[in-house]
Amino acid sequence: MSARVAAVLELFTVLAEEGVDGVLRRTPPDVVWAPLTAEGREFVGEEVREHFRAQQAAAADQTQHVASVEEHGDAVLVVGSLQIRSREARVDLQPCWVYEFDGDRLRRATGYPSRRQALAALAGAEREGC
Amino acid sequence: MDATADAAGSRSSQEEVLRVPHRDEARAQLEAVQALSPVGLAHLDGDRRVAGMNPAFADLLHRPPEVCVGRCLDELFPDAAPPLSRVVDRSATAGRAVTGVAVEMDRQDGTPRHLEVSCAPIVHGDGVADGYALTATDVTERRQADDARRRTMRHLAALAAVGELLDAELELEPTLESIVRVAVEQLADWCVIAMPGDDGTLRSVAVAHRDAGHAELVRRLEADYPPSPRAPRGAVAVLRSGRPELFEDVTDEMLEAAARDARHLRLLRALRMRSVVVVPLVARGRTFGVLTLVSTRAERRFGRADVRIAEELARRSASAIDAAQLYRAADEARARAEATVALERRTHEALQDALDRARVLAQVGVITERSLDLQGDALATVVQLLVPGVADAAEIELDVPGLGRRHAAAARALRGPSAAMASELAFALVRRGQRLGTLTCRWGSTAGVSAEEIALLEEIADRLAVAADAAMLYAERASAARTLQASLLPQTLPRVPGVVLAARYLPARSGGEVGGDFYDVFALGDGSWMLVIGDVCGKGVAAATVTAQARYTLRALAPGARRPADALQALNDVLVRQREDERFVTLAALRLHPTARDGTARVEVACAGHPAPLLLRADGSHVVVPARGRLLGVFPRVRLEPTDLVLGPDEVLVAFTDGVTESDPHRVLEAGTFASRLADAVPRGPGGVALAVELLARGRAPAGRLPDDVAVLAVALDA
């Protein structure tokens, strides 16, 4: 298990145990967060906290589980499940989260609806990077 | 012109002493003038006896001149006032003429006669007066004319003054006081206005007397000896008859006859009534009082002319009094009207307040009854209803088990230097012995809160407590429902290799009951997976048991079934055999085979009375999966028309319950239309499509509140 994968799995554990604040404490302040539930919006560092607080204010409780992890270059893909429970709805998703690193430093975290889309995005980024 | 005529005619004092240079010549001249003069002329000797007179003077005496010669003036004019001898005395004392002295006496018929008398000493050459020349002119007519003129002037002044009251004075008491004052100034020595009281007794309501001290005497007389209601004459009689009465001469005998006792007589005599006129006060045909004019002077004796003037005065006074009474009545009526209006306003305000309170209470009731969970909006609306109508600030704090802490507050901005809350009332929200929160109201002033407002707040607090208690129970029930509902759904969606899934379950409206919708995803053991979505008729525990039965029965039957349709047929057999409540089940079963080498996957689809799944393609096209069949659990045999389809890459297959298409109960969404509206979500995969389904369903639902549960299950290949 690479350090990046370990770091990513650690973030999932921290998220489950300490919430988003714990994640933010353990990640650089300039990480760009693009949660799947944010529908395309991006947050830098602490900004993502408000997104999660808004979800909590809507009485939404969410849990996520890791199904598989794979590395693609500087990125770590996590295929898992996300369940959001509120009075209004129960939502089950199987997203794919992509954690992009700059060395060991987490640079960006993005949620995709599927692994396929995540890989497509990574491929696109690599093409842009070339 | 001779000196005598000059003295009598012009009353000039320039010729104060008659000087006669030659006695005989002067006498002859004097006698000639005397004979012709219309003025009474008399010659008094040194003893002041009449030495001679002309015919005009004799006419004043109604006696021939010869009878009068040698007699004293006072003997000839015994009732003259002042005595003529006094006029002569004044002339003698002054040593010059005294002119124009007014003397009053009675005629033989008793009528007054007014003379204008002048007297001058007759002085001879030695400067010694040895006689007096006397002139007397009967000025009775002129005097009467003057008196009449003056009386008329007074009358006119009185009438004018009273008339002015009509314009100037509208208050009753000042009007009465003005009338009696004017009457005393112009017409009489005292004046009384009397009006019957509530008991019908005639009472003085205004008194004026030329002598202020006597006014009190008159009042005392009226108070101590009120007129008898049966009196044949006087004020009471005038009030009764409406006709005036004139007491030209009030004699002592009359006073004695009227007096009820010695004190009464003393009072009557002390007032020195000489002449009295009593006239009715009549207005608009109604005699409502009397006006009495009294003269205390012998020279002011009322006659018929005075009665007429008194009547006119009374008529005008009556109009003024009537106007004042009307004004008072109007004023009282207005006051009553104002009081009535004020009372009505207070009543209206009280009613309005009550209505406002009732309205607030009703609105609070609606809010608390409708809000099953007392979310912040409901509480905020309640406090906003209380501010500022009931309180300057209101705050609700709830701490309800199952709901947690809730808080809402509202306050209006206070102005002024002491813009702070000064008083506070807190109401505990207690239900079934459990404190669930607090309603606190605050006011900027220390003014007391009305009992009605306290009652209102107590009622609101009670309703809030009931609502909080209901919310607590509802929360418990909803929690139980969610727990049960969760047990009917997979704890999590399984990871199907090469596939991505998404599901949404949306409880109807309140979410307080277990719905009949469910979905499930399970492996069939041959590498294929069964995706199931279903809907059990009804809600609640009974429906939940059918749901559980259907879900787990299908899980048991599906692996052994050749096709999904067979599994549904078997499930129908079980449900029909085991259940008698005729609860039916609709189901869509999708058997997803492993992804083929071409990157597609075969899907077998069977629908039993369930909405057809939709196949959404990346190019925006769609397929309404043509699988049909009858619902399960009712008929022994169901006819199903299953179908197969191929799920390609970037395509999303979505199944859902009828809560989606029937989210608007009045306008069922046709499947093709529905599918076309989901096209944009396809690039976002199953999760995006499931979200689009939810948004579409909520968008069509009345007020965004879903009338029925909604379940959505979407799948896409994710190789």
Side-chain angles (χ1 to χ4, degrees), chain A residues 83 88 90 92 94 115-117, chain B residues 490 494 501 503 505 683 718:
Chain A
Q83 190 172 77
E88 301 296 327
R90 170 180 152 169
D92 281 284
Q94 294 179 332
R115 177 176 174 275
R116 183 190 188 88
Q117 287 176 301
Chain B
L501 296 168
Y505 182 85
D718 194 28

Side-chain angles (χ1 to χ4, degrees), chain B residues 46-406:
Chain B
D47 296 329
R48 302 180 185 180
R49 293 180 181 274
V50 175
M53 65 179 67
N54 68 350
F57 198 96
D59 288 344
L60 294 175
L61 292 167
H62 301 289
R63 297 176 186 178
E66 56 273 19
V67 175
C68 300
V69 172
R71 302 178 73 170
C72 296
L73 286 173
D74 293 343
E75 185 181 354
L76 293 172
F77 300 97
D79 58 348
L84 291 183
S85 60
R86 193 173 299 170
V87 179
V88 177
D89 288 343
R90 286 173 56 196
S91 178
T93 303
R96 58 183 175 82
V98 173
T99 62
V101 178
V103 175
E104 186 178 343
M105 63 186 68
D106 291 337
R107 295 179 192 273
Q108 287 180 323
D109 60 0
T111 59
R113 162 178 285 177
H114 299 277
L115 301 179
E116 195 169 81
V117 178
S118 299
C119 180
I122 301 172
V123 180
H124 293 282
D126 55 2
V128 177
D130 63 348
Y132 299 88
L134 190 74
T135 67
T137 306
D138 189 341
V139 295
T140 301
E141 291 183 1
R142 194 180 77 198
R143 177 69 179 271
Q144 286 176 338
D146 287 345
D147 287 349
R149 181 178 55 80
R150 283 195 292 271
R151 193 161 52 244
T152 300
M153 293 296 289
R154 287 200 305 272
H155 294 169
L156 290 175
L159 296 177
V162 172
E164 288 173 358
L165 294 176
L166 285 169
D167 298 327
E169 190 57 73
L170 284 173
E171 298 291 341
L172 181 59
E173 283 75 15
T175 297
L176 296 170
E177 295 300 327
S178 296
I179 291 170
V180 295
R181 176 179 50 77
V182 167
V184 168
E185 286 173 353
Q186 305 293 346
L187 303 174
D189 295 308
W190 104 48
C191 178
V192 177
I193 292 176
M195 296 168 66
D198 294 337
D199 60 352
T201 303
L202 197 62
R203 287 191 171 86
S204 298
V205 293
V207 176
H209 198 290
R210 191 158 52 89
D211 183 339
H214 280 70
E216 183 55 36
L217 201 60
V218 172
R219 292 191 188 92
R220 195 189 311 161
L221 179 71
E222 294 279 343
D224 295 349
Y225 300 97
S228 167
R230 294 180 298 277
R233 297 201 68 186
V236 172
V238 170
L239 179 69
R240 204 164 45 232
S241 67
R243 288 196 295 270
E245 287 188 3
L246 171 63
F247 301 89
E248 203 167 344
D249 288 296
V250 177
T251 63
D252 194 61
E253 290 77 13
M254 293 168 69
L255 298 180
E256 289 178 351
R260 297 176 195 169
D261 54 31
R263 178 172 172 270
H264 191 193
L265 181 59
R266 281 199 301 277
L267 286 172
L268 289 172
R269 282 175 173 162
L271 288 170
R272 296 198 296 271
M273 287 184 285
R274 294 295 175 88
S275 187
V276 177
V277 175
V278 186
V279 290
L281 292 167
V282 181
R284 293 183 293 154
R286 179 177 66 93
T287 301
F288 62 84
V290 295
L291 181 145
T292 301
L293 298 175
V294 179
S295 172
T296 60
R297 288 175 283 182
E299 66 271 20
R300 179 183 275 180
R301 188 170 296 134
F302 296 132
R304 294 189 181 281
D306 295 298
V307 173
R308 287 193 294 275
I309 292 299
E311 284 182 311
E312 181 60 22
L313 175 70
R315 189 184 66 77
R316 297 192 182 199
S317 298
S319 295
I321 294 169
D322 185 52
Q325 285 180 322
L326 287 174
Y327 178 75
R328 168 179 282 186
D331 203 33
E332 290 172 351
R334 186 172 64 250
R336 282 196 299 273
E338 288 173 353
T340 302
V341 168
L343 181 61
E344 286 181 352
R345 187 169 59 243
R346 286 196 296 274
T347 304
H348 175 74
E349 289 171 352
L351 183 60
Q352 189 61 51
D353 288 345
L355 287 174
D356 289 344
R357 288 193 292 273
R359 179 179 57 77
V360 168
L361 198 56
Q363 290 176 331
V364 169
V366 169
I367 292 166
T368 53
E369 287 166 13
R370 285 185 178 173
S371 178
L372 293 173
D373 53 6
L374 284 181
Q375 290 280 14
D377 287 351
L379 297 180
T381 306
V382 171
V383 293
Q384 284 163 7
L385 282 171
L386 298 179
V387 177
V390 179
D392 293 325
E395 183 177 11
I396 298 173
E397 295 173 289
L398 294 183
D399 188 4
V400 181
L403 288 182
R405 292 180 180 275
R406 301 279 168 81

